[in-house]
Amino acid sequence: MAFNMTRKSSSHPALAKGISLSPSSLILFTAAFITLADNGAFWSSLAQRMDLINLKGFGFVLTFFSLITGITALFFLVLGQRYLLKPLLILFLFLSAATAYFNNIGVVFDTLMVQNMLETIKDQNTNEAMELLSPSLLWHLFLFGLLPSVFIILVRVRPRKILRDLLSRLGTMVIILVVITTLVMLNFKYLTYFSRENRDLRMAITPVYPVYSMIKLIKKSHADDEIPFHVIGQDASGQHSGKKRVGVMVVGETARADHFSLNGYPLPTNPLLEKQDVVSYSNAWSCGTSTAYSVPCMFSFLEKKQYSPGKAQHQSNLLDVLETAGVKTFWRDNNSSCKGVCERTESEKLHRDPDPKSPFFNAGEYADEILLQGLDSLIEQRHGDVLIVLHTMGSHGPAYYKRYPREFARFQPACESASPHECSDEAVIHAYDNTILYTDHVLNRLIEFLKEREGQYDSFMLYASDHGESLGEHGVYLHGLPYSLAPDAQTHVPIIIWLSNGLKTARNLTERATKACADSKVSHDNLVHTLLGMFDANTSLYRKDLDLLAGRCK
């Protein structure tokens, strides 16, 4: 029997040796596979916007297929030299598969999203990375990353001399450019019109757009590095008399204004805050749609239309100016990091090494109540006025169920998966609403803490979320879409203020003044000026028209 098998194998030498391809053929095959298998979001959007079931539609599809395959192949032909070829192709098969998975749930890999990914790596935020590795993602990577990679590993690349390989690559590149040029010219009129009217479609092209975003980010980072640091607010000084002032700025995470019952949401997500004397700004809007973009913006004196993370990084922020004015600042973080805001102030990172014995240890991390632990001593150790910033985990997805202790799982059924798109809409919303319910509890505890100490100092709490979250509306989940494309769910955020009676008296704040802006359109641009006003900090940077408590809103 063994003899017969050997004879059969020897009669088919090509089969015995396995499949062999030239480098150019392997590159074209891989590029075509990525174009077809990893661009589902692009092809789906294209089909919704034009009729593909006719000759013109077929020509249009062929043009786009050739463009995406050709550009990808050109990239591989240039960089995939000899021993680098297979590793490069395998790397891009996995990257393209992962990108396609997230594109299908509404995530776009623009420069800001790439920056967020790099920030996650820089912050060593393994918890967030592990949450994204859901079973459905791993299965997707197996099908569209691992299986084609095995094929590439098994394929024998026909060896060629350097000059012959170079000529073959150049010839393939010329053919690709000729085909692309021909198809583009044949469809030029309609192609330019369609592309101009549907510019957002390019963001779904894998791997072209993510590579473009990475290159753009690298160039921008180099340009930002050339910007000298600009010290501003050196004229800042404190001028109030009376008691010490203590402010607590709570930076929320991924909270949506329209899911706060304070703002009219039908489910009781704020049962405790509704009993407190707080002002909720129901028409507030974020600076960005991601933490890395929004958090520095919340503490920057650059308004949204002038702001960029690079510019903000190279000039003084609110914490610097308050320190100059004599206000002691402290940043306490239960999130990934302060995104550069606290580089020049005292800070404490709690998420790095959580203690499993802590009463606030929950699902492998700290619940946000840990931020209130030892708050008394933080305040007492600092003489004079104090601003403490608490950076919460809030409602960070996709594993919303990990953001709150079990006793706050009040709204049921609640999704207990890191893949919200695999849960029902109702379960996703309930899990998210439970995070808001827990935030309500944390903020209420903070207010009660400050109320108990009204005899010692005047105080306030200011809560603002960095951005919102999509919960499956129109098939979009999570956050981070470009601002121009982002739905209101990702940009409409809660801003809430509580003031002690002593602070109201010291600043002569009437109820009418404190609530003057409650229904007006406000934004993150208002935060730094409102906080300067809280401490009566005197500086030319202060703009009374942007202070939420100055009574200037209509």
Side-chain angles (χ1 to χ4, degrees):
M1 194 72 176
F3 176 78
N4 290 336
M5 288 181 67
T6 304
R7 289 289 299 273
K8 187 175 181 180
S9 297
S10 63
S11 64
H12 297 283
L15 184 62
K17 293 179 181 178
I19 301 172
S20 66
L21 294 172
S22 68
S24 297
S25 297
L26 182 59
I27 283 171
L28 287 171
F29 171 82
T30 306
F33 176 83
I34 289 173
T35 302
L36 290 172
D38 297 324
N39 281 275
F42 172 79
W43 297 119
S44 176
S45 296
L46 186 66
Q48 292 172 13
R49 302 185 192 196
M50 64 176 299
D51 183 12
L52 303 180
I53 314 299
N54 54 48
L55 189 60
K56 182 182 287 187
F58 176 76
F60 210 55
V61 169
L62 185 61
T63 301
F64 271 117
F65 174 80
S66 301
L67 272 170
I68 299 170
T69 302
I71 293 171
T72 305
L74 288 171
F75 180 80
F76 292 156
L77 284 164
V78 173
L79 296 183
Q81 302 297 327
R82 286 187 170 264
Y83 302 112
L84 291 177
L85 177 59
K86 284 191 175 184
L88 180 73
L89 296 182
I90 290 170
L91 173 65
F92 270 83
L93 279 170
F94 276 98
L95 289 177
S96 298
T99 301
Y101 175 86
F102 288 105
N103 277 345
N104 289 335
I105 60 172
V107 176
V108 170
F109 287 86
D110 62 349
T111 53
L112 293 179
M113 184 56 68
V114 174
Q115 182 182 0
N116 289 337
M117 294 165 57
L118 296 176
E119 288 276 352
T120 300
I121 296 169
K122 177 184 173 184
D123 296 336
Q124 300 175 20
N125 193 353
T126 54
N127 282 350
E128 182 172 342
M130 292 304 294
E131 282 186 10
L132 294 173
L133 287 175
S134 63
S136 58
L137 171 58
L138 294 174
W139 176 245
H140 188 90
L141 291 176
F142 173 79
L143 291 177
F144 299 100
L146 183 61
L147 290 183
S149 295
V150 170
F151 172 79
I152 287 176
I153 291 169
L154 295 177
V155 165
R156 187 175 68 87
V157 178
R158 290 197 290 267
R160 285 178 172 173
K161 292 183 179 180
I162 294 176
L163 181 59
R164 187 180 176 189
D165 182 54
L166 179 61
L167 291 174
S168 174
R169 288 171 185 264
L170 287 174
T172 304
M173 292 169 74
V174 169
I175 293 171
I176 289 171
L177 291 172
V178 169
V179 170
I180 289 175
T181 303
T182 302
L183 288 171
V184 168
M185 293 306 297
L186 289 173
N187 296 275
F188 185 76
K189 185 176 180 181
Y190 189 62
L191 186 66
T192 52
Y193 169 77
F194 184 85
S195 299
R196 186 172 61 249
E197 296 299 313
N198 297 274
R199 288 178 59 83
D200 58 302
L201 269 182
R202 64 196 172 104
M203 299 178 184
I205 299 176
T206 302
V208 177
Y209 195 74
V211 171
Y212 163 77
S213 298
M214 175 63 81
I215 294 170
K216 186 177 178 183
L217 179 64
I218 292 170
K219 290 173 64 177
K220 190 174 184 304
S221 297
H222 282 303
D224 288 341
D225 288 341
E226 301 298 319
I227 303 173
F229 190 84
H230 184 208
V231 178
I232 60 174
Q234 290 180 293
D235 62 340
S237 61
Q239 60 181 13
H240 78 83
S241 58
K243 287 182 187 176
K244 172 179 179 173
R245 287 188 189 174
V246 173
V248 182
M249 165 76 175
V250 181
V251 179
E253 170 66 54
T254 320
R256 288 172 54 159
D258 64 343
H259 278 248
F260 275 57
S261 56
L262 278 171
N263 297 329
Y265 187 59
L267 293 182
T269 53
N270 304 127
L272 300 176
L273 287 179
E274 286 176 357
K275 298 174 183 176
Q276 298 283 5
D277 185 19
V278 298
V279 181
S280 179
Y281 298 85
S282 58
N283 194 14
W285 301 86
S286 68
C287 180
T289 63
S290 67
T291 302
Y293 192 91
S294 282
V295 169
C297 184
M298 294 167 78
F299 293 85
S300 172
F301 287 93
L302 295 166
E303 294 181 37
K304 182 182 180 300
K305 57 188 176 185
Q306 306 156 334
Y307 169 83
S308 75
K311 289 180 183 177
Q313 184 183 356
H314 290 86
Q315 74 169 36
S316 307
N317 60 41
L318 172 74
L319 303 186
D320 300 315
V321 174
L322 284 177
E323 286 280 352
T324 302
V327 179
K328 301 299 180 184
T329 62
F330 187 87
W331 185 288
R332 181 176 258 192
D333 215 307
N334 191 37
N335 204 304
S336 54
S337 75
C338 67
K339 308 305 178 187
V341 176
C342 64
E343 282 185 357
R344 296 170 296 278
T345 193
E346 287 187 88
S347 63
E348 179 183 16
K349 296 178 180 179
L350 300 174
H351 76 285
R352 287 283 173 88
D353 190 22
D355 180 7
K357 297 179 182 178
S358 168
F360 305 116
F361 186 79
N362 179 69
E365 62 191 25
Y366 282 132
D368 281 332
E369 280 177 276
I370 190 67
L371 292 165
L372 307 182
Q373 185 171 276
L375 203 55
D376 239 347
S377 60
L378 283 178
I379 295 169
E380 290 171 3
Q381 290 167 9
R382 288 156 180 81
H383 301 291
D385 294 347
V386 179
L387 175 68
I388 294 175
V389 182
L390 305 179
H391 190 191
T392 67
M393 273 297 284
S395 304
H396 197 288
Y400 306 116
Y401 69 99
K402 291 185 177 181
R403 303 289 94 88
Y404 52 86
R406 300 301 300 177
E407 58 266 32
F408 290 89
R410 188 173 304 172
F411 304 113
Q412 292 294 331
C415 178
E416 295 196 356
S417 168
S419 302
H421 56 287
E422 295 180 353
C423 294
S424 68
D425 292 344
E426 180 187 35
V428 172
I429 291 170
H430 283 168
Y432 181 82
D433 286 345
N434 288 332
T435 69
I436 304 298
L437 183 69
Y438 182 58
T439 294
D440 175 76
H441 169 75
V442 174
L443 296 181
N444 184 72
R445 272 199 62 192
L446 174 58
I447 291 171
E448 290 298 326
F449 169 88
L450 296 173
K451 284 167 75 173
E452 290 169 5
R453 291 155 181 79
E454 285 203 54
Q456 301 173 38
Y457 43 75
D458 296 333
S459 60
F460 69 88
M461 180 209 73
L462 194 161
Y463 169 83
S465 183
D466 55 356
H467 55 79
E469 184 84 330
S470 287
L471 299 174
E473 299 91 347
H474 308 293
V476 178
Y477 292 86
L478 306 179
H479 55 267
L481 278 176
Y483 206 92
S484 59
L485 300 178
D488 288 354
Q490 294 189 27
T491 58
H492 186 201
V493 294
I495 294 180
I496 300 168
I497 292 178
W498 172 87
L499 305 167
S500 70
N501 291 325
L503 185 57
K504 290 178 185 176
T505 301
R507 291 197 63 200
N508 296 315
L509 292 172
T510 63
E511 184 176 355
R512 181 178 179 181
T514 59
K515 296 183 178 179
C517 297
D519 299 319
S520 301
K521 187 173 183 178
V522 298
S523 71
H524 283 166
D525 288 347
N526 296 89
L527 298 178
V528 292
H529 303 283
T530 302
L531 287 165
L532 286 176
M534 293 286 199
F535 291 102
D536 286 321
N538 185 25
T539 171
S540 57
L541 292 172
Y542 173 67
R543 285 182 54 182
K544 195 170 184 178
D545 60 311
L546 291 177
D547 185 340
L548 293 173
L549 299 175
R552 295 294 185 89
C553 295
K554 295 181 180 179

